[in-house]
Amino acid sequence: MVSLMSSPANSSDREKVVSKLPGWLRQNLKIRAAQHGIEIQAAVEQGITDWCHLASSLSQVDTAGSSSFSTFLPHGQWEEFTRTASDRRVSLAQGLAQSVQLWLDTNPAPEIERSSITRRIIVCNQKGGVGKTAITAGLGEALAEDPNALHAVRVAKALAKALRASEVHEEHDGQEADPLDVENLPGLGQRVLLVDFDPQCHLTNQLGASPLPMNGDSLTNHMAGDAKGDLRDLIVSIDDEAFAGRLHLLPACNDAFLLDVRLSAVRAREAALERALAPLEDDYDVIVVDCPPSLGLSMDAAAYYGRRRDGEAPGQSGALIVVQAEDSSADAYDLLTTQIDDLRADLQVDIDYLGIVVNLYDSRRGYIATSSLQGWVDIKDPRVVGLIGDLKEQKEAVRVKKPLLSYAPKSQQAIGMRALAREVS
């Protein structure tokens, strides 16, 4: 039986109604409403209004397995709906299912926004061991996630809250984040290329791919003007249904240890990475480069690749700096920003800072960690755009060579990676 129950609602002009809806239709409604950025109750209200105004009923919707469904509607709308359902000789559950399906049919999933200029995100720091590779992978995965599914995301207000050491300490004590700080949002659905630009091949290995052989073709060869084939032939897909062919990897090769030496003989060497990757750009919305812990010519080429191009809005491309809450990261940060600032001045280009990610954070390490975190927050420009805890899920994902966001999609680190992707989008 379907019933009408009146109860106090959030607004005085609405009443609570309880009916039934099949689980698959409820899920489609939840996802589509989130995609359009509206409340579920607004979608149901519009669907019922449109259904009541139709000249006749629609095709039957399979309502097998329906369960209780409640929402808030304007006063009087449910009475009009029940009269219309009676006139059409359909049950209230069938009428509601038809109304929801009608709204879904008239409000298709929005198209993914594609930038006319492929965004280039350069993940960098001169210091090794800060977790650049984990951030590169997590960011790329979050950008590529399924836009027709909902994923847990830490909302912006929660980042500011998490920047307080006490909040992070609670998370590390094993407590769950406040559910009010987490929102279920559709994936971003971007086409993403991850570029392993580090001769140590960490990104390649973490994602379960094989480093390129020394006697074959590589990104290094293309940058040095000694290509042995099409760079596209080296790209591998990160096969996981969460990314549905949208996430690709350009593996590394150990020959990148010789890149700076080979670039020294190349004309306009700062543009070498751009020349190599430019033919691939039309295939992707975002290219994320995992840089080596180096201040050599290869870092110059990476920073130049992330410069702001003609017609590109500020903050679309640039450098994302990964640090830890300890003193040596601060020293490395100063060296890196000095190099980028010198490159800006020497070549007269704009290289934007997309922000700072404080990675592997654990407030239980005491004053050095908490005071260092405060030091990063105090910088303001670039601002802290991500705070990722030192938790076991990332290490486990690396051990089994799986993407973090498919291995542990509900983990605090995954939730933080999705927030980071939205902060830099």
Side-chain angles (χ1 to χ4, degrees):
M1 176 179 290
V2 180
S3 62
L4 167 64
M5 296 172 51
S6 294
S7 64
N10 296 330
S11 175
S12 60
D13 64 344
R14 304 184 83 86
E15 61 185 352
K16 183 178 181 180
V17 299
V18 179
S19 183
K20 289 188 175 181
L21 206 62
W24 64 269
L25 191 55
R26 184 199 313 256
Q27 183 67 9
N28 290 346
L29 171 63
K30 185 186 298 185
I31 293 170
R32 192 68 53 80
Q35 288 173 331
H36 285 278
I38 67 172
E39 297 287 340
I40 290 177
Q41 65 183 22
V44 175
E45 175 187 343
Q46 185 61 55
I48 289 176
T49 297
D50 293 343
W51 185 81
C52 289
H53 291 165
L54 291 175
S56 60
S57 60
L58 298 173
S59 300
Q60 291 281 306
V61 175
D62 183 4
T63 58
S66 293
S67 58
S68 179
F69 172 79
S70 63
T71 188
F72 290 92
L73 297 176
H75 282 285
Q77 186 180 44
W78 190 256
E79 285 78 6
E80 179 187 6
F81 170 73
T82 57
R83 288 195 301 271
T84 304
S86 177
D87 291 343
R88 295 177 183 170
R89 294 193 172 97
V90 298
S91 68
L92 297 185
Q94 179 62 218
L96 180 61
Q98 290 183 16
S99 298
V100 170
Q101 188 61 57
L102 176 62
W103 184 83
L104 290 170
D105 292 342
T106 53
N107 292 271
E111 293 289 330
I112 300 297
E113 292 186 14
R114 312 287 184 194
S115 174
S116 59
I117 300 175
T118 299
R119 299 179 59 216
R120 288 114 27 241
I121 300 176
I122 311 305
V123 183
C124 52
N125 194 334
Q126 181 268 340
K127 183 179 184 298
V130 296
K132 293 186 299 295
T133 297
I135 297 301
T136 300
L139 173 60
E141 292 160 25
L143 288 167
E145 272 190 314
D146 187 355
N148 294 311
L150 298 180
H151 312 274
V153 181
R154 175 176 285 161
V155 296
K157 66 179 181 180
L159 175 59
K161 185 177 178 182
L163 289 175
R164 298 199 302 268
S166 60
E167 176 73 8
V168 179
H169 183 71
E170 288 179 0
E171 290 182 12
H172 281 274
D173 282 346
Q175 298 184 22
E176 294 295 325
D178 186 338
L180 295 178
D181 293 337
V182 176
E183 197 172 335
N184 289 319
L185 298 175
L188 297 174
Q190 299 288 293
R191 300 167 301 176
V192 179
L193 175 64
L194 302 176
V195 177
D196 193 346
F197 195 42
D198 187 339
Q200 299 173 92
C201 308
H202 290 320
L203 180 62
T204 301
N205 290 321
Q206 284 188 19
L207 292 175
S210 298
L212 299 171
M214 286 285 286
N215 59 352
D217 203 6
S218 66
L219 176 59
T220 298
N221 288 338
H222 283 256
M223 292 179 65
D226 189 25
K228 299 180 180 179
D230 190 332
L231 199 58
R232 282 186 181 84
D233 295 337
L234 305 180
I235 293 173
V236 297
S237 178
I238 306 303
D239 291 325
D240 188 287
E241 66 179 40
F243 315 119
R246 289 180 297 270
L247 183 63
H248 293 169
L249 168 71
L250 178 56
C253 177
N254 293 134
D255 67 355
F257 279 115
L258 304 174
L259 180 57
D260 280 8
V261 174
R262 295 180 68 180
L263 283 181
S264 64
V266 174
R267 295 184 60 186
R269 53 182 175 260
E270 70 280 351
L273 182 60
E274 180 163 302
R275 287 194 298 268
L277 296 180
L280 308 177
E281 290 182 1
D282 286 345
D283 298 335
Y284 299 99
D285 300 306
V286 186
I287 295 178
V288 188
V289 181
D290 184 24
C291 294
S294 164
L295 294 177
L297 298 179
S298 55
M299 188 59 225
D300 279 349
Y304 183 82
Y305 185 56
R307 80 192 185 286
R308 192 190 315 159
R309 295 178 179 173
D310 291 343
E312 189 172 23
Q316 291 298 293
S317 297
L320 183 67
I321 303 175
V322 181
V323 301
Q324 287 183 262
E326 39 77 40
D327 293 341
S328 60
S329 276
D331 296 337
Y333 170 84
D334 289 339
L335 291 170
L336 175 65
T337 53
T338 297
Q339 178 179 8
I340 291 176
D341 291 344
D342 287 346
L343 196 65
R344 282 170 161 172
D346 292 345
L347 300 179
Q348 295 295 295
V349 293
D350 293 313
I351 302 173
D352 296 328
Y353 291 113
L354 301 182
I356 296 171
V357 181
V358 182
N359 192 31
L360 300 172
Y361 183 74
D362 186 346
S363 64
R364 294 177 302 183
R365 292 176 182 145
Y367 175 73
I368 291 178
T370 56
S371 61
S372 295
L373 174 60
Q374 189 59 52
W376 294 119
V377 173
D378 290 343
I379 290 177
K380 305 299 184 188
D381 184 19
R383 65 188 178 91
V384 173
V385 293
L387 179 65
I388 307 297
D390 187 8
L391 302 172
K392 64 183 177 65
E393 287 83 2
Q394 177 65 54
K395 298 180 180 70
E396 292 172 352
V398 170
R399 174 65 63 87
V400 298
K401 298 182 182 297
K402 285 189 174 182
L404 169 68
L405 272 65
S406 59
Y407 173 77
K410 296 181 181 179
S411 67
Q412 288 301 308
Q413 287 167 318
I415 291 170
M417 293 295 186
R418 296 187 187 105
L420 172 62
R422 284 161 174 79
E423 286 287 331
V424 301
S425 292

